[in-house]
Amino acid sequence: MKKYNFNAGPSVLPDVVLEAAAKAIIDFDGTGLSLLSISHRTPEFEAVLNEAQSLFKELLNIPDNYSVYFVGGGASTQFFHMPANFLGTKAGYVNTGVWTKKAIKEAKRYGEVKVLASSEDKNFTYIPKGFDIPADLDYLYICANNTIYGTEYKADINSPVPVIADMSSNILSRPIDVTKYAVIYGGAQKNLAPAGVTFVIVRDDMREKVVRELPIMMNVNTHIENNSMCNTPPVFPIYVLRETLKWMKAEGGLQVIYERNQKKAAMLYDEIDRNSLFKGTAEKEDRSAMNICFVMSEGNESLADEFMAFAKDRGMVGIKGHRLVGGFRASCYNACPVEAVEALVECMQEFEKLHK
Ligand SMILES: *Cc1c(COP(=O)(O)O)cnc(C)c1O
């Protein structure tokens, strides 16, 4: 049976990328060696790394005064790397769910944390807006897309202080104005690569703003100065990342991917709103295009398990909602094809007919 992969992360990658990765494990770019057994200091691998960086810059339209580096440890490591580097006295955080809560907890080890706004009052079903950003903060921290609750910032924030953003689950899903951010980072396993590589994009002026003496591997300057090669970088995930970026470019670039993502999200949200058995959980204006959360509508709660089994029989994978939200979550990342969303919509329609 054909499977439709809606996993939240690690998640779906394009078939051509998987094929290239499989081939490289046997014979890396014609070297006669496996990608898994080469030195990361070979010219062949350095070319892969450099191409991944330059494609990242090209696709996201990253200006020249920014560096892009790749490192292990996941987004969770950046939760403490960011305040370790940049929190001298006081930082502002917007609390939009589990991932910002974790980031706030880590930041408190390094300085004062002001939670400028929070959507906890409504179980993080919306993005707080219109909050004040004091000019004396070292930085403002946000999570651009809340993977668990399906909420997303639709506009880049105007801030008087540097903005640090976790974009783990919506990086390269839509165009952004990179100049509005001082640092953008994320685990690449949601939208770009297998688990194991984290991307970090740092504006040049931040390099002088490191506030304390740090272990070598914690300092952003280490990774920039050594071009992601201070130690052994995650060779295989970086290779797959490059393949994904090549695929994105071949598809027509970020604008094309963005329009496709908008189309997929609209199809699924339209069905959630139309179908009497389901309802969305996130505030409409803040709905994520990447992680689409829904539950059974009032009076139909008891059909949840039946729908899960029904969808599974039709090849849907990974649509169980996070335990903090319940219900269902379809993650429609870049590599999730339109036909997968069509199949899910059809499945919801058939299920409705069964219960009419
Ligand atoms: C998954 C996720 C994380 C955690 O990423 P790891 O790489 O597993 O540490 C952090 N932030 C967001 C928004 C995520 O979706």
Side-chain angles (χ1 to χ4, degrees), residues 177-297:
D177 180 357
V178 174
T179 65
K180 296 264 172 71
Y181 301 88
V183 181
I184 297 170
Y185 75 81
Q189 72 274 18
K190 306 278 162 65
N191 209 17
L192 301 175
V197 61
T198 313
F199 57 88
V200 187
I201 304 164
V202 183
R203 200 172 60 209
D204 283 348
D205 62 302
M206 297 305 284
R207 300 186 55 190
E208 272 91 63
K209 292 187 178 159
V210 175
V211 292
R212 57 176 63 78
E213 184 67 30
L214 289 168
I216 290 167
M217 286 297 286
M218 274 173 78
N219 193 315
V220 293
N221 284 313
T222 302
H223 301 287
I224 296 167
E225 280 157 20
N226 293 283
N227 193 27
S228 308
M229 290 274 207
C230 173
N231 70 332
T232 318
V235 169
F236 180 67
I238 289 172
Y239 182 90
V240 182
L241 170 66
R242 182 199 63 171
E243 292 304 308
T244 305
L245 298 175
K246 274 165 63 180
W247 168 80
M248 278 189 71
K249 189 172 172 177
E251 291 291 293
L254 188 52
Q255 187 62 27
V256 170
I257 296 280
Y258 167 66
E259 282 162 23
R260 196 184 295 163
N261 288 338
Q262 290 299 109
K263 179 179 166 190
K264 289 183 290 182
M267 276 168 53
L268 189 45
Y269 282 122
D270 283 352
E271 179 59 19
I272 290 167
D273 292 340
R274 187 209 60 78
N275 194 312
S276 59
L277 297 181
F278 301 98
K279 63 169 189 180
T281 53
E283 206 59 60
K284 279 191 185 166
E285 64 176 14
D286 302 323
R287 282 172 160 180
S288 167
M290 295 283 97
N291 310 99
I292 299 181
C293 297
F294 55 104
V295 293
M296 305 308 303
S297 59

Side-chain angles (χ1 to χ4, degrees), residues 40-147:
H40 57 292
R41 308 262 174 212
T42 51
E44 289 89 350
F45 181 71
E46 285 204 52
V48 170
L49 179 76
N50 291 334
E51 193 181 1
Q53 282 168 332
S54 62
L55 283 169
F56 216 118
K57 286 185 172 167
E58 181 184 335
L59 287 162
L60 196 58
N61 200 12
I62 301 174
D64 288 341
N65 62 324
Y66 286 76
S67 305
V68 179
Y69 68 82
F70 305 120
V71 65
S76 301
T77 296
Q78 299 304 318
F79 291 168
F80 68 91
H81 276 197
M82 289 297 131
N85 280 272
F86 304 120
L87 176 45
T89 48
K90 194 162 54 172
Y93 278 65
V94 181
N95 184 17
T96 50
V98 164
W99 301 121
T100 53
K101 274 191 178 179
K102 291 188 187 211
I104 288 166
K105 199 170 169 190
E106 299 285 40
K108 283 180 176 165
R109 299 177 199 280
Y110 297 95
E112 187 186 336
V113 173
K114 280 191 100 80
V115 177
L116 302 179
S118 168
S119 49
E120 191 158 22
D121 58 339
K122 292 189 181 160
N123 195 31
F124 302 115
T125 50
Y126 69 101
I127 298 289
K129 292 167 209 88
F131 49 86
D132 281 334
I133 306 167
D136 63 345
L137 299 173
D138 292 325
Y139 61 82
L140 166 71
Y141 182 98
I142 63 159
C143 178
N145 182 71
N146 298 280
T147 325

